[in-house]
Amino acid sequence: MPASQPRSRARDRNNVLNRAEFLSLNQPLKGNQESRSSSRKQSGQAGAAGAQNTNPKERRQSQQLPEEDCMQLNPSFKGIAFNSLLAIDICMSKRLGVCANRASSWGGARSMINLLGITGHGIPWIAGTLICLVKSSTLAGQEVLMNLLLALLLDIMIVAGLQKLAKRKGPYDITPGLLDYLTMDTYAFPAGHASRVAMLSKFFLNHLVLAIPLRILLVLWALCVGLSRVMIGRHHITDVLSGFVFGYLQFRLVELIWMSSNTCQMLISI
C-alpha cells in the first residue's frame, strides 16, 4: 500500500490534463458559465426589445423584400421581349456601323457617307428655303416655301425635345459635329436626319409636280440618308425607323396647320 500511493501520485503529476492550463477542459469554471448565460440572456432580451421597437412599416418592407427579389429574378414576358429586341437592335447597329471610324471595314468611305448625311441636315435646308423665299415672286411659291420653313422649324424643335427626354446615346461614342450642336441634334433617339428627310420627301411628293423617276430618286435619297446615319455609327436602326415615323407625323401636322397665302404674305411683310 505505501508503495502504490507514491506511484499514483507520480501518475497524477505526469498527467497533462491535471495541469492548470488544462483544468478548464475537464471542469469548466462556474464564473465563465454564468457570464456566458448572462450574455445570452442579455442578447435575447435586446433582440426582443429591438423587435418590439421596430415599426410596422419596416416589418412590411422586410416581408416584401423576398417578393421584390423574385420579381427581379423572374421578369415579365414583356420585359424579356423588350430586352431581347433592344439587344438585337444594338448588335445589328454595331454590325452596320462599317464607317464608324477610320479603322472600320469601310473607313475610307466615311467622308462620302458624311457628305450624304449633310444633305439631310436642317441648317442647309433652312438656308436654302430662305434664299428661295427671297427670290420667289409668285404667291403660290411663297405659300409653299413658308409652310416648308414652318415644317423645318417644327422638325428641329420636336426632335430636340424628344432627344432631351430620351437621352439615348448611339452605338458608338461619336462626338456630334458643329451643325449638330446648332440644331441641338446631340442624342440618338430619334434620328433627326431621318425625320427630316421623311418629312421633306413626303412634302415634295404632295406639293410638287414630279416625274416618276424623280419620285423614286426622292424616296431612295431619304432611305440612303437614314442608312448613312447607321453606317457612321451615329444612330441605331430603331432610331432611324422612329425618325421616319416622326417625320411622317410632322408632315401631317403641317398639313393640319397649313398657312394660307394671305397669312404668308402678312408674315413676309413683317
Side-chain angles (χ1 to χ4, degrees), residues 106-151:
W106 289 17
R110 180 176 172 80
S111 57
M112 185 183 300
I113 300 298
N114 279 327
L115 183 61
L116 180 61
I118 291 175
T119 61
H121 205 280
I123 297 298
W125 278 102
I126 291 176
T129 304
L130 289 174
I131 294 172
C132 294
L133 185 61
V134 171
K135 294 184 176 181
S136 179
S137 58
T138 61
L139 295 178
Q142 292 176 355
E143 179 183 351
V144 173
L145 290 171
M146 281 296 298
N147 285 278
L148 177 60
L149 181 62
L150 175 64

Side-chain angles (χ1 to χ4, degrees), residues 22 44 81 83 87 90 94 99 120 127 168 182 209 221-222:
F22 295 105
N83 292 330
I90 295 174
K94 284 184 175 292
C99 301
R168 186 188 189 188
L182 291 176
V209 179
W221 166 73

